[in-house]
Amino acid sequence: MIKLGVLISGSGTNLQAIIDAIARGSLDASIELVISSKPDAYGIKRAKDVSIPTIALSKAVYNEPLAADLLIATEMQNAGADHSGVDYIVMAGYMRMVRRPILEAFPNRVVNIHPALLPAFIGAHGIADAFEYGVKITGVTVHFANDAYDRGPIIAQRALAVAADDTLESLEERIHAIEHELYPEVLQLLAEGRVSVDNRGKVHIE
Ligand code: GAR
């Protein structure tokens, strides 16, 4: 069993997929805390509905990235009923990069999901950028976050073919469906202790 802290910024469908996987018993984890970069993120409601503690960053804190990340690191290190902190920080639609205070407190313990096949189409609009470019294959990447935005060690990727009649909306729908399967699966690999990063920054799965 691993303890997770989840970072969100928006609708939180990936958070929901993780909550559902835990409830079904296919992910051996607990979510100890959800922190949102935005006070009105719908994902906060999803967390509250299942009694997960939440924190929404105020605008003043959000506008100071280093202070925000220090606060997040401290809250994640003290989360849980016994204040023993979380094992992993899970970025689930968290639309900013994490900085030194978080990365130093959780080395190789911050994971992110990105809706494209990294290193292609980094940034906040991975699905639309890939669609506009006209790629025939795109997909989803789960990786460890490090100090290079969307460039951390890749844990898992799943590809899908872009169909001739795909619209941006239909592609988004299929990407999200893959995300909702893949993220809980990768978190379960972490729960089983099967994921390691070598000194060249490559991920190995036992
Ligand atoms: C997801 O598609 C996630 O991959 C993406 O934001 C969406 C959030 O959806 N993240 C990024 O683009 C990060 N660069 P959700 O809030 O419903 O989980």
Side-chain angles (χ1 to χ4, degrees):
M1 158 89 88
I2 49 169
K3 292 180 287 177
L4 307 176
V6 182
L7 297 178
I8 61 167
S9 298
S11 72
T13 62
N14 281 287
L15 167 65
Q16 189 68 55
I18 297 165
I19 290 171
D20 294 346
I22 293 171
R24 284 200 296 279
S26 59
L27 171 54
D28 191 17
S30 61
I31 302 174
E32 302 295 338
L33 179 62
V34 169
I35 299 182
S36 171
S37 62
K38 292 188 184 147
D40 57 352
Y42 186 74
I44 294 179
K45 178 178 167 7
R46 297 179 191 274
K48 284 188 171 156
D49 282 351
V50 290
S51 304
I52 297 168
T54 61
I55 295 172
L57 300 182
S58 69
K59 213 168 185 166
V61 172
Y62 180 82
N63 286 338
E64 293 289 339
L66 275 181
D69 281 14
L70 191 56
L71 183 146
I72 291 169
T74 306
E75 292 292 345
M76 291 296 189
Q77 283 176 314
N78 291 299
D82 60 358
H83 304 289
S84 61
V86 302
D87 300 307
Y88 285 93
I89 294 182
V90 178
M91 301 166 73
Y94 184 66
M95 301 313 270
R96 71 193 304 192
M97 68 179 292
V98 289
R99 292 175 175 76
R100 210 170 21 81
I102 294 177
L103 295 170
E104 283 178 1
F106 292 90
N108 283 334
R109 284 181 176 263
V110 182
V111 288
N112 183 40
I113 190 159
H114 185 76
L117 293 178
L118 293 176
F121 307 113
I122 66 169
H125 309 286
I127 306 174
D129 291 347
F131 183 73
E132 289 306 324
Y133 195 93
V135 294
K136 303 302 183 202
I137 306 236
T138 184
V140 174
T141 303
V142 179
H143 67 99
F144 287 112
N146 63 14
D147 55 7
Y149 187 54
D150 284 344
R151 290 276 191 259
I154 291 174
I155 307 170
Q157 293 184 303
R158 199 155 289 167
L160 81 120
V162 181
D165 61 353
D166 257 324
T167 60
L168 177 57
E169 290 68 33
S170 66
L171 185 62
E172 276 172 349
E173 199 172 308
R174 288 189 297 129
I175 292 273
H176 291 317
I178 291 175
E179 290 190 312
H180 299 160
E181 258 179 39
L182 184 62
Y183 219 180
E185 282 177 28
V186 170
L187 296 175
Q188 178 60 21
L189 293 176
L190 296 174
E192 292 170 8
R194 292 168 59 191
V195 182
S196 60
V197 187
D198 70 20
N199 52 17
R200 294 184 319 172
K202 286 214 175 93
V203 172
H204 301 273
I205 297 176
E206 278 170 36

